[in-house]
Amino acid sequence: MVLEGSSEALCPPPSLELRPSCNKSQSSPPLSTSSQPHDGVFPEDKEPVKYGELIVLGHNGSLANGDKGRRRSRLALYKRPKANGVKPDVIHNVSTPLVSKALSNKSQHSISYTLSRSHSVIVEYTHDTNTDMFQIGRSTESMIDFVVTDTAGSGSSQGGGAAGEGGGGGQSAQSTISRYACRIMCERSAPYTARIYAAGFDSSKNIFLGERAAKWRTSDGLMDGLTTNGVLVMHPAGEFVSEPAPGVWREISVCGNVFALRETRSAQQRGKLVENESNTLQDGSLIDLCGATLLWRTPAGLRHTPTLKQLESLRQELNAARPQCPVGFNTLAFPSLAQREIVDKKQPWVYVNCGHVHGYHNWGYRKEKGPAGPGGTAPASTGERECPMCRRVGPYVPLWLGCEGGLYLDAGPPTHAFCPCGHVCSEKTVVGWSQIPLPHGTHAFHAACPFCGTWLTGEQGHIKLIFQGPVD
């Protein structure tokens, strides 16, 4: 359902007019169910209205096997030619044997709350001409606008490619992402406010919360509930591009209300209602689906980020400076943006504990265990290297330019890299993301590289790169 006294529900309370169960002589009008992500192109060559973009963290510009249709690493939400939003209309209190009959109308959106074996509450939804609805989940059925699969966690860096499966292969049998994870409702008139709700409607246009799901009656006699693994949202504490600072992770209910986190991800006891926060998405809001985390960027926020053309220009500027290996004196060059998996022979490498950039060399291993070295870091037995410039010991990895511009906080020069994966971007971007704890598992949080999903290490999670200029 949708309302626990929150003014941030699907629409303002005056327009909800939920009325008691009654016999309806006419069914609700069929909804526009077009699920194509770019079906918002308007006639007469008018510029389509963009509500915002969703970017899956852990993918450096595209899925590992390439973006295909609705399965991609980034999706823009455009105003649809015809509204397909819905809003709550009628509440039915029914005995459970009647539930299947009540849910059999496939032209009628509804949410079913099973309270016991003999009692259910069904909320029917009706067409809302003022909103567009976009659905996100693991299912590849047509009602899902953005198909999202699990992103690999904190494993070792996946080179320049995306971490995790994600691409066009088969879906994980053990996925923790719901088939119908969440839905976003966008107002069709300015300022085009976007709001998020847990759970999406299935192929029968139903949301079904079973007997074991966390659900409850609200103070005004309505219903609300949570999904099994929950939909978590974190709004930035300040302006995402000007003062990046993490907010507090919250859980969003089926009706769009905001709650403190449960003790564990799937606990049946809900957290405390947070009345002064809303489900309205802001630039930089993060949406965690228990297996993948999405970033919401507004059109205004995206104007501060580099385009693919600008990233290519930054890459060429780096290479034009002719950085050299301080030992081998060979000129280094960042590979093209399209080359994200195969290490090039001219590729720059970095010692992540000190930031000295070198060309690749096959020496300097410190496999033995011993006392701390000059840099204060004890050599490990994991094949770490000793920097020939400063003698600090640590991981030695190739550098990759961050290719997903939507993850940048500004269009500044690529002077820093995340540790230990070696993804390069602006200083503001590495500082901002290093402060953000991302959900992992049932109740753990770790800062991670947004380009590959690798957990960050070291005191800051990032390093300033030290390049050797040409000697001639």
Side-chain angles (χ1 to χ4, degrees):
M1 236 243 50
V2 228
L3 314 143
E4 195 181 72
S6 168
S7 62
E8 298 297 333
L10 281 177
C11 48
S15 66
L16 288 180
E17 296 183 0
L18 288 169
R19 50 190 193 278
S21 175
C22 60
N23 293 324
K24 301 172 71 178
S25 59
Q26 294 180 345
S27 61
S28 299
L31 306 185
S32 170
T33 57
S34 173
S35 61
Q36 293 303 312
H38 297 288
D39 62 357
V41 179
F42 284 71
E44 302 175 7
D45 296 326
K46 287 186 179 180
E47 184 73 21
V49 174
K50 181 193 286 188
Y51 296 127
E53 295 197 27
L54 290 165
I55 303 168
V56 186
L57 301 190
H59 300 285
N60 194 17
S62 67
L63 298 180
N65 297 326
D67 291 345
K68 299 173 183 177
R70 293 171 293 130
R71 194 195 299 263
R72 53 202 310 111
S73 67
R74 181 172 179 168
L75 183 80
L77 305 188
Y78 287 92
K79 186 176 182 180
R80 299 184 187 275
K82 183 179 179 182
N84 74 329
V86 293
K87 58 185 177 182
D89 184 31
V90 181
I91 300 176
H92 298 276
N93 285 278
V94 299
S95 59
T96 300
L98 297 177
V99 171
S100 59
K101 182 178 180 181
L103 299 180
S104 62
N105 183 359
K106 292 191 176 182
S107 66
Q108 177 77 57
H109 286 77
S110 64
I111 301 180
S112 172
Y113 301 85
T114 302
L115 302 181
S116 67
R117 293 184 179 181
S118 60
H119 183 209
S120 292
V121 175
I122 297 176
V123 180
E124 289 186 0
Y125 279 62
T126 189
H127 185 40
D128 183 3
T129 58
N130 298 316
T131 61
D132 285 337
M133 179 171 66
F134 302 88
Q135 299 209 132
I136 304 162
R138 178 170 47 87
S139 171
T140 57
E141 295 175 272
S142 61
M143 84 292 303
I144 298 297
D145 298 279
F146 194 15
V147 179
V148 178
T149 49
D150 296 72
T151 302
S154 67
S156 59
S157 173
Q158 308 269 329
E165 49 163 317
Q171 295 182 18
S172 171
Q174 300 178 345
S175 175
T176 50
I177 300 175
S178 171
R179 290 181 298 158
Y180 316 104
C182 66
R183 62 197 190 278
I184 293 176
M185 307 291 290
C186 300
E187 293 183 359
R188 290 172 61 85
S189 57
Y192 308 112
T193 303
R195 297 185 174 94
I196 184 168
Y197 301 82
F201 294 98
D202 62 18
S203 57
S204 298
K205 298 185 179 178
N206 297 319
I207 293 173
F208 183 80
L209 295 181
E211 198 171 346
R212 290 189 172 186
K215 72 187 85 63
W216 57 91
R217 286 189 182 275
T218 63
S219 58
D220 49 7
L222 303 177
M223 295 295 300
D224 202 353
L226 304 174
T227 55
T228 302
N229 289 328
V231 174
L232 308 188
V233 171
M234 187 185 77
H235 302 307
E239 291 290 333
F240 189 58
V241 294
S242 59
E243 302 175 23
V248 179
W249 280 102
R250 304 296 193 193
E251 181 164 8
I252 301 297
S253 71
V254 172
C255 300
N257 292 304
V258 182
F259 293 86
L261 301 186
R262 292 179 263 183
E263 280 193 21
T264 59
R265 194 71 188 240
S266 58
Q268 288 197 317
Q269 182 63 40
R270 71 180 187 271
K272 185 179 179 181
L273 177 68
V274 184
E275 298 189 48
N276 62 339
E277 296 182 20
S278 81
N279 62 337
T280 300
L281 296 176
Q282 309 166 25
D283 185 47
S285 290
L286 290 166
I287 304 165
D288 188 80
L289 305 179
C290 195
T293 306
L294 281 59
L295 171 68
W296 173 259
R297 298 304 308 263
T298 62
L302 287 170
R303 284 195 285 271
H304 296 274
T305 65
T307 64
L308 203 57
K309 185 176 181 180
Q310 289 172 320
L311 287 173
E312 173 61 22
S313 177
L314 290 172
R315 184 187 75 88
Q316 292 179 9
E317 287 179 22
L318 280 172
N319 292 344
R322 295 174 59 211
Q324 291 193 338
C325 175
V327 176
F329 301 110
N330 52 307
T331 301
L332 308 176
F334 280 85
S336 68
L337 299 183
Q339 185 178 338
R340 302 173 197 166
E341 295 182 2
I342 302 173
V343 179
D344 187 88
K345 63 181 180 179
K346 291 185 177 181
Q347 187 132 3
W349 286 61
V350 67
Y351 288 92
V352 298
N353 280 350
C354 61
H356 285 111
V357 178
H358 292 254
Y360 178 74
H361 48 254
N362 195 24
W363 43 265
Y365 283 103
R366 294 292 297 270
K367 296 184 179 180
E368 76 283 358
K369 289 186 177 181
T377 305
S381 58
T382 55
E384 293 187 329
R385 307 279 193 100
E386 181 181 88
C387 175
M389 302 297 289
C390 66
R391 315 298 288 179
R392 291 199 66 176
V393 175
Y396 176 62
V397 299
L399 291 175
W400 304 91
L401 192 64
C403 298
E404 177 51 80
L407 299 176
Y408 282 68
L409 297 181
D410 64 357
T415 56
H416 288 65
F418 287 105
C419 302
C421 59
H423 280 101
V424 179
C425 54
S426 68
E427 180 179 12
K428 190 172 186 178
T429 300
V430 295
V431 170
W433 283 104
S434 297
Q435 301 176 48
I436 299 175
L438 299 175
H440 175 76
T442 58
H443 55 271
F445 293 85
H446 297 276
C449 171
F451 299 105
C452 68
T454 301
W455 292 357
L456 302 185
T457 59
E459 292 183 8
Q460 297 179 310
H462 58 85
I463 193 75
K464 179 177 175 61
L465 299 175
I466 304 172
F467 288 94
Q468 168 76 49
V471 295
D472 53 327

